[in-house]
Amino acid sequence: MTLDVFASLLGGVGLFLLGMWLMTEGLKLAAGGALQAILESWTRSAPRGFLAGVLITALLQSSSAVTVATLGFVNAGLLSLAQAVWLIIGANVGTTMTGWLVALVGVKIDVAALALPLIGLGMLGRLAFRGRSRLFGAAQAMAGFGAFFLGVGVLQGAFADLLGDMGHLFTGDATFAALLIALALGVLVTVLTQSSSAAIALALTAAASGEIPLSMAAMAVIGTNIGTTSTAILAALSATPAARRVATAHVIFNVTAATGALLLLSPLLWLSTWLTSGFNPGADTPAILAMFHTLFNLLGAGIMALMGTRLITFLQNRFVSAEESLARPRYLDPTLAKVPDLALRGLVLEVERMREAAFAMVARRREAGAGAAATDPGRLLPLGRAIRTFIGEMSAGPLPDPVADALPDVIRAVQHLEEIERMSLRLGTPPADIVALSAGWPTLRRALSDSLTGPGPDAADPELAYARLIQSAEQAYQQVKTDLLQATARGALPVGRLDDALDLADAVRRCAEMAAKTHRRLGPWEGHPDTAHQEAQAAAG
């Protein structure tokens, strides 16, 4: 291969990628908030999520843009794993539109006659519409289309020269070794360019000469599907667990589609040729390859649909962090919801687990430096929502009196624990000079420790013990508050620091109060809730 041919190939790929980038970024600007709105509202079912992924990717010409947006929504809790998986599957099918653009437009027309005016008009539009984001984005996308087609034209010329010099290497039968080489080249080019669209364009423009056997070109196209998983793998190395699951779904889909294409290579090529000839009797190799690419991605989507719930369950059990493990119920088996006595037992155990995690969180954050708690948000709120959902399922049918009496206490205990998580974000270790201004600080910290421990099962009068814990925290807080206000009045404490110190003291008091109230709510139902209820009723009588 001469230096000129290599330079043309390199320049063609560069123009193609530049065009793709301009199109993607321009269309995102032109769409404004439409992408977010579609992702949020079009994903309520698997078919709608799939369709949204296909349409958005076909429009943006970038499955990466859709994937990145999907990962962001999953991390923000706006999309479930199931919704994200079907968006990713749809995006992979939608990206086949690039092959159709190359096959039906890029290799059919006078590229310069289309590309150069688009680039010129698009760049003039960018100058004219600065400050008007949607029109600016549309103009940039127009320039991107021009660069896209110009890159295709350069690649066509480069491959024509390359095959003229090295055509003997590609002629003859497509042996097994030659097919493997074509597959490996598809993978390699995609990994190097980090763009399956660019690799598809290379494969289709190379095949347009007619010198490369159709089966070899098809193997290269399959290789692009395998190679595009490298982007997801790299992104998943340092990603959150939710993002890793979505990236894994991307890898599974592409490997599944590629495997199906390899196993059914001959039937799929025959079907692609037959379908393409049906609407275009003079169909050439690029059109057949575009159809082949679409068919085997649809095949992959069909296989994924059959896997359905099993796939989602498999992914949900992967990359589970300690926080996510805490947020997932351990004792709330949905089958127990129809057996109230057993359901209550599991419910109390789950809230006890939530209490243990909340109190450990308070102890950890209490010893942290000021403001450090904000970097440790915790994961109790999702568990609280799961407990409420389970209670709703229990309440759907008639409940025995002991269970009905217990549920209000259980619900209030969950609310207290959620309040503890919110209050604990304000905890920290008060500075030594602030502690020196009030003798109430040690008492306040001791009140919190005592509330976290609770009065214990041997307390003669549990209600009195809870009341004393709450009163101790309140009195210590009031002493700290009075001392700090007096220190500020004397000029010993700046007003700005007073606010921070009072906020910290209030957080300690609130955590102590909520901890004592949690113990009080759960106390009668711990161990064997039904027996405890009977004992409590007998004592009250």
Side-chain angles (χ1 to χ4, degrees):
M1 180 170 60
T2 65
L3 184 60
D4 290 341
V5 173
F6 176 77
S8 295
L9 284 172
L10 189 61
V13 172
L15 279 171
F16 184 88
L17 292 175
L18 175 63
M20 293 292 296
W21 177 80
L22 288 171
M23 277 195 294
T24 298
E25 296 303 315
L27 287 169
K28 283 196 288 187
L29 282 175
L35 177 60
Q36 177 175 346
I38 290 174
L39 286 176
E40 289 180 347
S41 63
W42 282 23
T43 57
R44 296 173 186 168
S45 65
R48 291 180 66 176
F50 173 76
L51 184 61
V54 172
L55 293 179
I56 298 172
T57 308
L59 174 65
L60 295 182
Q61 283 298 292
S62 173
S63 58
S64 297
V66 179
T67 300
V68 169
T70 301
L71 291 177
F73 284 123
V74 169
N75 286 332
L78 296 175
L79 290 179
S80 67
L81 176 62
Q83 291 172 315
V85 166
W86 280 104
L87 269 173
I88 294 296
I89 294 172
N92 279 281
V93 174
T95 199
T96 62
M97 183 59 66
T98 302
W100 287 107
L101 279 175
V102 174
L104 300 180
V105 181
V107 298
K108 297 283 189 181
I109 64 171
D110 182 352
V111 172
L114 176 66
L116 296 180
L118 286 176
I119 294 173
L121 290 173
M123 296 309 294
L124 287 174
R126 288 181 89 252
L127 294 175
F129 298 127
R130 286 187 180 277
R132 302 169 67 181
S133 61
R134 294 204 170 188
L135 291 175
F136 180 89
Q140 177 173 309
M142 182 183 294
F145 274 108
F148 172 89
F149 290 124
L150 189 61
V152 172
V154 173
L155 287 174
Q156 278 185 276
F159 276 113
D161 293 339
L162 176 64
L163 293 172
D165 295 337
M166 307 175 65
H168 62 283
L169 297 177
F170 301 98
T171 58
D173 296 331
T175 63
F176 181 74
L179 292 175
L180 288 181
I181 291 173
L183 179 71
L185 285 174
V187 174
L188 180 62
V189 171
T190 307
V191 171
L192 292 178
T193 62
Q194 285 296 291
S195 171
S196 60
S197 297
I200 288 290
L202 284 169
L204 267 62
T205 50
S209 65
E211 297 293 331
I212 297 179
L214 179 61
S215 56
M216 285 184 64
M219 290 292 284
V221 171
I222 296 172
T224 65
N225 255 50
I226 300 173
T228 196
T229 61
S230 63
T231 304
I233 292 172
L234 291 173
L237 291 179
S238 59
T240 63
R244 289 187 180 188
R245 295 185 197 108
V246 176
T248 302
H250 177 71
V251 172
I252 291 174
F253 170 81
N254 283 280
V255 171
T256 299
T259 302
L262 288 171
L263 295 175
L264 301 173
L265 180 62
S266 296
L268 283 175
L269 282 177
W270 175 87
L271 182 59
S272 301
T273 304
W274 181 76
L275 288 174
T276 309
S277 301
F279 68 84
N280 184 10
D284 52 12
T285 300
I288 295 172
L289 289 175
M291 178 63 76
F292 173 75
H293 190 208
T294 302
L295 285 178
F296 80 72
N297 275 283
L298 287 174
L299 173 65
I303 296 173
M304 297 288 277
L306 293 175
M307 296 169 68
T309 306
R310 290 191 296 273
L311 173 65
I312 301 300
T313 302
F314 169 79
L315 292 173
Q316 286 175 334
N317 292 325
R318 304 278 82 76
F319 315 113
V320 179
S321 65
E323 293 82 2
E324 287 186 317
S325 179
L326 169 62
R328 294 181 180 182
R330 184 178 298 171
Y331 302 105
L332 303 185
D333 188 337
T335 59
L336 293 181
K338 298 179 181 179
V339 187
D341 291 335
L342 295 178
L344 178 59
R345 172 68 174 165
L347 194 60
V348 172
L349 289 172
E350 199 66 64
V351 179
E352 288 175 347
R353 190 171 76 92
M354 185 177 181
R355 178 182 60 185
E356 180 181 348
F359 289 2
M361 183 187 303
V362 169
R364 183 173 66 252
R365 290 174 174 176
R366 181 179 56 180
E367 304 302 327
T375 64
D376 178 26
R379 292 294 185 275
L380 294 184
L381 293 181
L383 181 57
R385 287 194 294 269
I387 291 173
R388 286 187 177 85
T389 300
F390 186 79
I391 292 174
E393 294 172 354
M394 286 177 61
S395 303
L399 297 175
D401 288 342
V403 176
D405 291 342
L407 288 185
D409 282 338
V410 172
I411 294 171
R412 289 295 291 154
V414 171
Q415 292 172 340
H416 295 328
L417 292 171
E418 291 172 337
E419 180 67 11
I420 285 176
E421 177 171 42
R422 286 189 286 269
M423 289 297 103
S424 69
L425 288 171
R426 296 158 50 191
L427 291 177
T429 303
D433 60 333
I434 297 291
V435 174
L437 294 174
S438 175
W441 281 110
T443 306
L444 185 59
R445 288 176 59 85
R446 186 165 56 252
L448 176 57
S449 297
D450 291 343
S451 294
L452 293 176
T453 303
D458 298 330
D461 188 344
E463 282 297 322
L464 180 59
Y466 296 133
R468 286 176 175 171
L469 288 173
I470 295 173
Q471 183 181 26
S472 174
E474 178 64 27
Q475 289 176 344
Y477 168 73
Q478 292 298 333
Q479 181 182 354
V480 169
K481 180 179 178 180
T482 299
D483 291 343
L484 294 182
L485 286 172
Q486 291 176 351
T488 301
R490 297 193 309 267
L493 180 65
V495 175
R497 297 193 68 198
L498 169 68
D499 293 338
D500 292 339
L502 288 179
D503 184 70
L504 174 57
D506 179 62
V508 175
R509 176 190 63 166
R510 292 286 293 160
C511 285
E513 290 177 352
M514 293 299 106
K517 290 180 179 180
T518 300
H519 283 304
R520 185 174 64 186
R521 293 289 184 179
L522 281 182
W525 313 108
E526 292 188 88
H528 296 283
D530 50 346
T531 304
H533 171 79
Q534 293 167 6
E535 293 173 351
Q537 290 291 90

